[in-house]
Amino acid sequence: DQGGVDISIDDRGVATIEFHHPLSNSLPGKVLRNLAQTIEDAGKDNDVKVILLKSAGDRAFCAGASFDELVSINDLETGKVFFSGFAGVINAIRKAPKFVLCRVQGKAVGGGVGVASATDYTFGTKHAAVKLSELAIGIGPFVVGPAVEKKIGNSAFSQMSINATAWYDAEWAREKGLYTCIHETAEEMDTAIDELASKLSKSNPEAMALLKGVFWEGTEHWDKLLSDRAELSGKLVLSDFTRNATA
C-alpha cells in the first residue's frame, strides 16, 4: 500500500478529499502530486461549493513527507522535486477559488503542519499536536514556512522551527490561530465541520471566491518562492550533516 487520494462530492456540493498512507499518513511524492491535482480539479469544478481536506484513520493527521524517499535522494534535482511535493499542495489550496476546510484528527508533523496552515478554516481535536521537526535532521521548514508563518505569525513559527523536537499541543495551536476550534472527540469535530460546510454550500460562490482572493493577497509570488525554498532544502539534504542525521 503506497497510499492514495480519494474524493467524493455530496448533493450539497461539498467535496471531501481524503489522503491516506499506512505509515501515519506520511506522503510520498506520487501521492502529494495526486493530492495537489485533486484539489486543483475540485477548485475548477462548478458543482463544488466548498472543499474539505482530511486524512484517513483516527490517529495521525500527517507525518510529513515520506522518510524512505528522503533518505534515497542522491542529487539536487531529485531533492528539489521531493521538497516540491508539499509546495504543490500548498499552492493548490492557495489558488483554489473555494474555501478549503481541514479536519485534523491527530498529530501533524512538518508538511502536515504546512497543509493544515494553508487551508482556510482548520478544525482540530485535543489530540492534534503539531511539530516542525526539519531542523532536527539538518534541514529546516523552508517550503512550509510561508504558510505556517502566514497562519500563526513569525514569533510562533520561529519557536516551532528552532525547538524542532518539541510537540506543541492543540490548545497552543488554537491560541496561535492554526486551529479555529478544538474538540474533545472526532465525532464532535465532524458535527461542527458538517454544520459549517452546509452553511457555506448555500453561500454565494462568487462572494466566497472573491473573499478567498482577499485572504491570500500578497502571495502571488509563492509559486517561485516555494520552488526556491524546495531547492534550498534539496541542497541541504545532500550535506554530510543531514545524511548522518537521517542515518
Side-chain angles (χ1 to χ4, degrees):
D1 182 1
Q2 294 301 305
V5 179
D6 301 307
I7 182 171
S8 62
I9 305 172
D10 65 19
D11 56 7
R12 301 172 298 176
V14 178
T16 299
I17 299 174
E18 181 179 273
F19 59 88
H20 59 90
H21 192 279
L23 296 178
S24 299
N25 290 320
S26 59
L27 299 179
K30 182 178 180 180
V31 176
L32 286 167
R33 290 188 291 273
N34 188 1
L35 180 57
Q37 188 63 57
T38 304
I39 294 168
E40 182 180 340
D41 292 345
K44 295 176 180 177
D45 189 336
N46 291 331
D47 292 330
V48 173
K49 308 303 181 187
V50 61
I51 298 169
L52 171 62
L53 185 61
K54 62 184 291 189
S55 66
D58 57 3
R59 297 183 68 82
F61 169 69
C62 178
S66 168
F67 192 78
D68 289 340
E69 286 191 4
L70 174 67
V71 298
S72 70
I73 296 171
N74 288 311
D75 60 84
L76 178 58
E77 185 57 34
T78 303
K80 183 176 180 179
V81 170
F82 172 82
F83 288 103
S84 294
F86 276 101
V89 175
I90 290 169
N91 278 323
I93 295 170
R94 174 177 66 86
K95 294 176 183 179
K98 317 282 172 71
F99 291 146
V100 181
L101 314 182
C102 188
R103 175 189 187 274
V104 184
Q105 78 279 19
K107 291 180 176 180
V109 181
V113 180
V115 169
S117 298
T119 56
D120 302 298
Y121 201 102
T122 308
F123 297 80
T125 70
K126 65 180 182 180
H127 305 293
V130 293
K131 177 167 68 171
L132 291 178
S133 59
E134 288 87 342
L135 187 61
I137 57 170
I139 308 173
F142 298 114
V143 172
V144 303
V148 179
E149 184 178 2
K150 179 178 181 296
K151 180 69 77 172
I152 68 175
N154 180 266
S155 178
F157 168 59
S158 299
Q159 183 179 344
M160 292 184 72
S161 300
I162 292 169
N163 196 353
T165 60
W167 285 102
Y168 297 85
D169 65 24
E171 181 58 34
W172 182 93
R174 186 196 65 77
E175 290 174 354
K176 302 304 181 185
L178 175 56
Y179 302 139
T180 54
C181 50
I182 53 175
H183 299 270
E184 284 291 312
T185 67
E187 291 75 19
E188 291 176 6
M189 176 175 63
D190 288 337
T191 298
I193 291 172
D194 189 65
E195 289 176 357
L196 180 59
S198 291
K199 292 176 184 177
L200 293 175
S201 70
K202 300 170 186 175
S203 296
N204 183 348
E206 184 179 5
M208 290 190 288
L210 290 171
L211 192 54
K212 174 75 178 262
V214 169
F215 293 157
W216 287 93
E217 280 181 353
T219 65
E220 295 80 8
H221 64 298
W222 275 25
D223 280 339
K224 183 178 187 306
L225 173 64
L226 299 194
S227 177
D228 291 345
R229 294 288 186 87
E231 187 168 350
L232 279 180
S233 295
K235 290 178 180 177
L236 285 171
V237 79
L238 298 174
S239 69
D240 291 339
F241 187 101
T242 299
R243 289 189 180 280
N244 291 333
T246 54

